[in-house]
Amino acid sequence: MKTRTLGRNGPTVSALGLGCMGMSFAYGSSDAAESRATLERALELGVTLFDTADIYGPHANEELLGGFLQGKRDRVFLATKFGIRLDPADPGARGVDGRPEYVRRAVEGSLQRLRTDHIDLYYQHRIDPNVPIEDTVGAMAELVQAGKVRFLGLSEASAETIRRAHAVHPITAVQSEYSLWTRDPERNGVFDACRDLGIGFVPYSPLGRGFLTGAIKSPDDFDADDWRRTNPRFQGGNFTKNLALVEQVKALAAGKGATPGQLALAWVLAQGDDIVPIPGTRRRRYLEENAGALDVTLDKADLAAIGAAFPPDAAAGPRYTEAMMGLVNG
């Protein structure tokens, strides 16, 4: 497994991480045994960056990883997140909490569920508009001083927020959605801020929530409780238009002897050595396919062809519902 450095002076991790969310959350039913086997296979392949969050489940994903990590903790660079809160009375509702007292409470819960004495990378999952970022990151910095956390990260943060946070304590990684069909960080100043400050960038959903693999043919492919059924890009005319875009990716991938997913991941990897994608999967066969993206080399002509087939803003529909976009720090 190839490696990359998270940030200018950050830790070395596998060039591809593993997003674990789908093993317990959002994408319908899952198989605990296959999820565990996928985690095992990831280690065998040399994946070191494992990504989770307290909201995934909620809590079940951290508990899954906590059990898996026993006897293996020193082989994993463990990332988790805090800050999104669920409303027990309304499962679809989301809230954000960045208060220092919540930071201190949240980390203790994560440490307990993960069955570890430290978290390698601790992200604020969403930025709380009602709490100055300086206060939240100040509390996170206390966790570093206490040895409970090694490195700090932010997720879906604006360029201004990143710069303000970094002035309080070094930010090692910023995690945001980024793929062929979500190009926001290129244009909203996030890439510029990260590169100015020497911060690594960790794209989540680099396969467009599975759409860019070419395996999804119809919204009916999803389980009844799969969150993607509510996502605008997977609905009605948007789905049809996006499917046509993926057909072009499939054609380009065939020319490279790769799968569409491998081409899409190779494109993300080609955007900079400071980028470490975390494609999510709960099945070994997809994990192995994703790892093959590291062997796909794209030259300038390839990148130009991909860019022409799938230009920025080509995807139809917003990447989240209006309510969920309200949680993104813009």
Side-chain angles (χ1 to χ4, degrees), residues 43-114:
L43 278 185
E44 292 172 0
L45 291 172
V47 176
T48 59
L49 174 57
F50 286 60
D51 183 273
T52 183
D54 59 4
I55 193 179
Y56 300 158
H59 302 159
N61 204 241
E62 287 187 330
E63 291 167 350
L64 172 68
L65 275 174
F68 168 75
L69 289 172
Q70 299 312 295
K72 308 177 183 72
R73 180 67 183 88
D74 61 346
R75 299 169 61 190
V76 170
F77 185 85
L78 180 61
T80 193
K81 316 177 201 70
F82 77 93
I84 298 181
R85 303 186 72 172
L86 296 174
D87 181 354
D90 182 0
R94 300 286 186 271
V96 179
D97 196 336
R99 295 173 300 153
E101 57 268 33
Y102 183 72
V103 175
R104 301 181 190 107
R105 187 165 70 251
V107 75
E108 296 301 334
S110 288
L111 289 169
Q112 182 177 11
R113 289 184 291 272
L114 291 164

Side-chain angles (χ1 to χ4, degrees), residues 5-12 151 172 197-200:
T5 300
L6 273 182
R8 192 173 296 143
N9 302 304
T12 298
F151 301 98
T172 296
L197 300 171
I199 297 171

Side-chain angles (χ1 to χ4, degrees), residues 23 30-40 64 282 284:
M23 296 177 180
S30 60
D31 181 332
E34 179 62 17
S35 292
R36 174 81 182 220
T38 300
L39 293 169
E40 294 279 4
L64 172 68
R282 54 196 179 191
R284 283 168 286 179

Side-chain angles (χ1 to χ4, degrees), residues 91-317:
R94 300 286 186 271
V96 179
D97 196 336
R99 295 173 300 153
E101 57 268 33
Y102 183 72
V103 175
R104 301 181 190 107
R105 187 165 70 251
V107 75
E108 296 301 334
S110 288
L111 289 169
Q112 182 177 11
R113 289 184 291 272
L114 291 164
R115 297 167 65 180
T116 185
D117 63 355
H118 72 283
I119 294 162
D120 295 304
L121 176 58
Y122 200 41
Y123 289 102
Q124 183 180 11
H125 207 161
R126 291 292 186 272
I127 307 303
D128 188 340
N130 299 313
V131 178
I133 190 63
E134 291 82 0
D135 293 354
T136 304
V137 173
M140 295 169 71
E142 293 174 4
L143 305 180
V144 176
Q145 295 161 8
K148 297 178 181 181
V149 169
R150 293 179 61 207
F151 301 98
L152 302 185
L154 302 175
S155 180
E156 291 288 5
S158 70
E160 178 189 3
T161 297
I162 293 166
R163 293 181 187 279
R164 287 170 54 194
H166 193 74
V168 176
H169 186 279
I171 300 299
T172 296
V174 168
Q175 181 178 134
S176 295
E177 184 175 355
Y178 182 63
S179 68
L180 273 172
W181 79 347
T182 298
R183 307 280 287 275
D184 302 358
E186 297 175 358
R187 295 166 295 169
N188 62 13
V190 167
F191 271 1
D192 291 340
C194 287
R195 287 167 174 163
D196 286 348
L197 300 171
I199 297 171
F201 187 77
V202 178
Y204 72 82
S205 295
L207 293 171
R209 310 187 191 286
F211 206 108
L212 297 174
T213 66
I216 299 170
K217 306 297 184 183
S218 164
D220 294 332
D221 292 339
F222 302 134
D223 290 346
D225 58 347
D226 191 312
W227 168 81
R228 287 172 291 189
R229 284 181 174 271
T230 69
N231 185 287
R233 290 187 176 175
F234 291 86
Q235 296 177 331
N238 290 341
F239 187 98
T240 302
K241 291 177 182 177
N242 291 328
L243 200 60
L245 289 169
V246 173
E247 288 301 313
Q248 297 185 65
V249 175
K250 289 171 69 174
L252 291 167
K256 296 292 294 183
T259 67
Q262 287 171 340
L263 188 80
L265 277 176
W267 180 88
V268 172
L269 288 160
Q271 303 311 304
D273 291 339
D274 54 347
I275 293 176
V276 181
I278 50 168
T281 185
R282 54 196 179 191
R283 296 182 178 90
R284 283 168 286 179
R285 69 179 185 272
Y286 296 138
L287 172 75
E288 291 165 355
E289 177 184 330
N290 292 343
L294 293 166
D295 298 321
V296 178
T297 301
L298 301 178
D299 59 25
K300 289 183 179 179
D302 294 324
L303 293 170
I306 295 168
F310 213 131
D313 295 324

